[in-house]
Amino acid sequence: MCPQAAAGRSRAVSRAPGAHNVCSLLIRRAHGFYARDAGVAHRQNLGLLRKIICQESTKFKNVWTTHSASPIAYERGRIYLDNYQCCISSIAQEPRILYQKPKCSKSEKIEDALLLECPLGEMLPSPSDYKSSLIVLTVQNWLLRLSADSGEILEKVYLAGSCCKFRYLSWDTPQEVMVVKSAQNKLPAAARQAGIQHSVLFYLAVFQVLPLSFTGMLEINKKIFGNSVTDVAVSNGILIVMYSMGLVRLYNFQAISEQFMEQPFDLGHEFNWNGQVGVVGKYPFGLPCNIKITDTPPLLFEASSLENAFQIGGYPWHYIITPNKKKHKGVFHICSLKDNALAKNGIQDMKCCSLEPDWIYFHPDMSGRIIHVGPNLIKVLKLKEVKNNTYQTEIAEDFTIVANRENCVNNTTVTVTASGRVVKKRCNLLDDDPEQETFKIVDYEDELDLLSTVAVTQIGADGKAHLDFHCNEHGILLKSIPLLESWDVTYSHEVYFDKDLVLHIEQKPNRRFSCYVYQMVCDTAKDDECSSHEKTERAFCKKGGRIFEYI
C-alpha cells in the first residue's frame, strides 16, 4: 500500500470519498455485484455443492423405494402419488409423508398440475402466496390452487360447463402466465351423420398467477384458422397453431388479446354476459369467452415440418425443422428466423439406423447452443458468424460425448442345416441395440450448471444404467453414478437430478409404477458399497398405508 493511502486511512474519512464509495456500491449492486447479497451467497453455496458432488469420494445411495398402481410425479423435492392425493418429501433420508388425502372419486380426478412458486420482490395479497403451491386441473373443469405442503385448497376457479373439457396446463411465461387448454372438440359420429356442424376446435383460458387473475378465454375456430388444425399452444407470447399437413403458424397472442378482447373480467365479480348473470369463476357459469377472434390475425411466421416439429432459439434467432417428408425423418435443418436462410453446415444428420430416432433441441442454458442426441453420440453445437460474412451463421461443433461401447457384441447368427452343416451369418446391429451402451436421457441441471446423461446397456433381462454428470461448458465427464435397479429398455423411464437428489421413476406393464430415491452421501468408510450392483439386504416399513422399501 502506498504511504499516501496509509496516511489517509489513519485520518477521519471525509464525506466526499464516503459518498463516492456509496455511489460506487449502489452502481455495482445494480449490476449484480454485491458481496453480501443473498443471491451471491446462494451461487457460492451451489458452487461448493457442485464441487462436493463431483468429488470421487461422494456417492449417491438408494435410500428408499416405493411402488404405486397410479402415475408418480416429482416437483421440487416433493413426490406425488395416487393422483396427487399423497405427497412425500424426498429430502429426508426416510420417506416423510407431507399429506395424505382420502381417495378421490372419478369426478374429482386431477388431469394435470403445475408447481407455482413465489415471485421475488413482489407484495402479495395473502401470506399463503409466499409459499409453494400446486395448480391442478380436475376432470370436472375446476382449477384449484393447493398448498404444496398440506394439500389444503387455497383458491378454486370453475372454468366452464359441459361445452368443453379442459385437460392441459402449461406456461406461457414460466411462473407468470398460465394457459389452460381444452381437449379437441369432436362431435360424436351420430351427430356428424345427422349433419350437425361444430366449428370450435379448442378453448384456451389464460391467467396471470400470484395473485391468480383471469386474462381471457378464446376459442380456436375452424372458420378463422381452417379445417385441418390438429393442435394449438401459447408460449412466450406466441399463439402456435399446428395443422395436419405439418404446417406450423405463429401469431402474436398479445396483439390478438388487445384487438379482439370484448370486455375484461375479474375473478369473483358479478357479470352479465350474453344474457347470463353470474360470478366470474364460480359454478355454474365459469368463465366468459371474452376474446372473440372475428378475422384471421396477422401472421408472424409459418413453416412446414414433419410431425409439426418446430423449435426457435439461439442467437441470432434460428429455428429447427425436419423437411416435411417421411424419408427425411432424422434430418434437421437449422435456419435463420430473419430470412429463412439455411445456416452453413445447417443440415444435421446422424444417419442413425435405430428403432428410436435421434432428437435435437436448443440448449436450455440460454447459451444459444444446440444439443443433438443420437444412440451413441451427443453433439453440442454452437452458432457462430461465418468468417468474412457477418450476415451468415455457421453451425460448429462445441464438443461431443461418446457412449462407451467397448463390450464386444456377437452379431453372428448360427444355424444348422438338415445335413448337419453349420452356417454362420453376420447380421447388422442397430445403432441402439440394447446390448450396446445407448443414451436414453439427456438433461441440464441449471443450478449446478451440469449436463446429465443416462446411458443403458441391457444383456438379456438384466439392464444396467448409469447417470453421468458432464461439465456444461466443455463436456468433460465429472461424475458417474450407477443405478442399482435393473433397467428394462422396453419400459418408460424418467430420471430427475435435483442438486443432491437423484430420482428414477419407472413405468412397468399393467400400470405398475416404481420410484427409486437416491441421495448424496460423503461417508466413504461405510458407504463404498452404496452405488454397487451387488445385492444388499432390504427392509420394509409401512407409513400412511403405503409400503416403503429400504436398503
Side-chain angles (χ1 to χ4, degrees):
M1 183 180 291
C2 65
Q4 292 86 347
R9 291 186 67 180
S10 65
R11 299 192 303 267
V13 180
S14 63
R15 293 186 64 183
H20 172 75
N21 291 339
V22 169
C23 291
S24 122
L25 192 64
L26 290 173
I27 291 168
R28 285 176 58 79
R29 185 170 188 178
H31 287 85
F33 302 109
Y34 186 56
R36 287 176 291 181
D37 189 275
V40 172
H42 184 60
R43 284 192 294 273
Q44 289 175 342
N45 290 341
L46 290 174
L48 289 172
L49 179 60
R50 172 180 159 136
K51 289 179 181 178
I52 293 169
I53 285 174
C54 295
Q55 284 176 353
E56 187 178 351
S57 59
T58 302
K59 309 292 182 184
F60 277 78
K61 181 180 179 181
N62 180 203
V63 289
W64 57 269
T65 299
T66 191
H67 307 279
S68 175
S70 61
I72 301 173
Y74 173 76
E75 289 284 357
R76 294 279 185 177
R78 300 175 184 87
I79 300 168
Y80 295 97
L81 303 100
D82 300 337
N83 194 234
Y84 294 91
Q85 299 304 297
C86 177
C87 178
I88 303 171
S89 171
S90 61
I91 297 172
Q93 287 234 339
E94 292 187 1
R96 181 167 62 90
I97 296 177
L98 296 177
Y99 65 82
Q100 172 98 50
K101 292 183 173 184
K103 188 175 180 180
C104 64
S105 64
K106 287 185 177 181
S107 63
E108 297 172 311
K109 180 189 171 188
I110 293 172
E111 294 281 1
D112 205 354
L114 289 175
L115 183 70
L116 185 56
E117 295 186 296
C118 167
L120 297 175
E122 290 187 24
M123 294 294 291
L124 300 173
S126 171
S128 65
D129 294 342
Y130 292 95
K131 296 182 179 179
S132 297
S133 55
L134 201 66
I135 297 275
V136 301
L137 175 64
T138 75
V139 72
Q140 293 289 351
N141 285 345
W142 282 97
L143 189 69
L144 308 177
R145 186 165 75 90
L146 311 177
S147 165
D149 294 324
S150 68
E152 174 192 358
I153 296 177
L154 304 174
E155 288 182 88
K156 56 193 302 186
V157 176
Y158 186 65
L159 299 174
S162 58
C163 63
C164 62
K165 296 293 183 184
F166 284 97
R167 289 290 177 269
Y168 311 102
L169 295 176
S170 63
W171 291 114
D172 172 17
T173 304
Q175 301 297 326
E176 292 182 20
V177 182
M178 177 182 65
V179 180
V180 190
K181 186 179 80 171
S182 73
Q184 185 171 357
N185 283 339
K186 293 183 179 179
L187 285 173
R192 291 197 299 270
Q193 289 173 359
I196 298 174
Q197 300 266 330
H198 192 69
S199 60
V200 178
L201 299 170
F202 295 93
Y203 287 93
L204 297 172
V206 182
F207 294 85
Q208 294 278 343
V209 297
L210 286 180
L212 191 64
S213 61
F214 175 57
T215 301
M217 186 191 293
L218 68 153
E219 55 188 31
I220 302 300
N221 197 308
K222 64 173 71 172
K223 293 178 181 178
I224 302 297
F225 294 98
N227 293 322
S228 57
V229 174
T230 57
D231 204 358
V232 64
V234 177
S235 178
N236 294 294
I238 302 295
L239 176 65
I240 306 165
V241 183
M242 287 157 270
Y243 295 82
S244 57
M245 59 281 204
L247 189 66
V248 179
R249 286 179 173 160
L250 308 184
Y251 303 91
N252 186 329
F253 181 72
Q254 179 75 23
I256 289 173
S257 300
E258 292 173 358
Q259 181 180 353
F260 298 106
M261 173 81 73
E262 294 189 345
Q263 183 182 337
F265 290 95
D266 294 323
L267 292 175
H269 288 209
E270 290 188 359
F271 72 94
N272 189 330
W273 183 256
N274 293 336
Q276 287 187 322
V277 178
V279 178
V280 180
K282 298 293 184 182
Y283 184 84
F285 301 104
L287 303 174
C289 189
N290 59 338
I291 302 175
K292 291 282 187 181
I293 304 176
T294 55
D295 195 10
T296 306
L299 183 66
L300 290 181
F301 186 83
E302 72 174 6
S304 180
S305 182
L306 187 67
E307 298 174 350
N308 300 113
F310 176 81
Q311 302 175 65
I312 295 178
Y315 180 81
W317 291 107
H318 279 67
Y319 64 90
I320 304 174
I321 60 168
T322 295
N324 198 10
K325 292 184 180 178
K326 287 187 178 180
K327 67 178 182 179
H328 292 306
K329 192 176 180 70
V331 178
F332 303 100
H333 287 199
I334 305 169
C335 306
S336 168
L337 189 66
K338 181 180 179 180
D339 55 11
N340 297 319
L342 183 69
K344 186 178 179 181
N345 301 327
I347 299 177
Q348 295 294 312
D349 183 7
M350 283 194 177
K351 302 187 186 305
C352 302
C353 179
S354 56
L355 291 176
E356 296 183 8
D358 52 328
W359 70 95
I360 194 169
Y361 58 99
F362 286 100
H363 200 311
D365 70 350
M366 306 303 289
S367 64
R369 295 181 295 176
I370 297 167
I371 299 178
H372 189 184
V373 185
N376 65 327
L377 179 66
I378 299 170
K379 295 166 70 174
V380 177
L381 310 169
K382 61 183 178 182
L383 295 162
K384 67 176 189 178
E385 287 184 357
V386 174
K387 196 173 182 180
N388 301 325
N389 186 356
T390 57
Y391 296 101
Q392 188 183 14
T393 52
E394 178 183 2
I395 307 301
E397 196 173 276
D398 198 13
F399 63 82
T400 60
I401 300 171
V402 183
N404 180 12
R405 292 195 165 182
E406 293 179 354
N407 60 314
C408 185
V409 179
N410 184 10
N411 62 341
T412 304
T413 58
V414 179
T415 56
V416 181
T417 64
S419 61
R421 186 166 61 93
V422 176
V423 178
K424 294 183 179 181
K425 186 177 180 181
R426 187 176 295 276
C427 58
N428 293 325
L429 292 175
L430 293 172
D431 289 328
D432 60 349
D433 186 279
E435 294 190 8
Q436 302 180 99
E437 184 171 274
T438 302
F439 292 118
K440 293 295 183 182
I441 297 172
V442 177
D443 203 357
Y444 173 63
E445 217 298 337
D446 58 341
E447 292 182 294
L448 301 179
D449 195 30
L450 290 173
L451 198 64
S452 64
T453 66
V454 176
V456 182
T457 306
Q458 180 169 332
I459 300 175
D462 185 28
K464 293 185 178 181
H466 56 91
L467 173 66
D468 292 346
F469 302 150
H470 296 264
C471 167
N472 184 49
E473 188 175 355
H474 303 294
I476 301 166
L477 178 63
L478 302 175
K479 186 80 176 176
S480 185
I481 302 168
L483 302 180
L484 301 185
E485 60 277 4
S486 179
W487 183 297
D488 191 317
V489 296
T490 63
Y491 298 166
S492 175
H493 300 266
E494 296 173 55
V495 174
Y496 298 91
F497 169 43
D498 192 357
K499 295 195 281 290
D500 60 344
L501 173 81
V502 171
L503 202 80
H504 174 204
I505 298 175
E506 175 184 50
Q507 180 179 352
K508 300 174 183 177
N510 302 321
R511 291 184 63 81
R512 291 180 299 141
F513 299 84
S514 298
C515 178
Y516 308 90
V517 179
Y518 290 76
Q519 289 185 346
M520 183 182 75
V521 292
C522 299
D523 189 350
T524 58
K526 58 183 179 182
D527 285 307
D528 285 340
E529 76 284 354
C530 65
S531 291
S532 168
H533 281 274
E534 296 177 5
K535 290 185 178 180
T536 54
E537 291 186 6
R538 292 181 175 267
F540 299 87
C541 79
K542 196 170 185 179
K543 289 185 177 182
R546 182 173 301 279
I547 296 175
F548 296 92
E549 190 176 338
Y550 296 86
I551 293 182

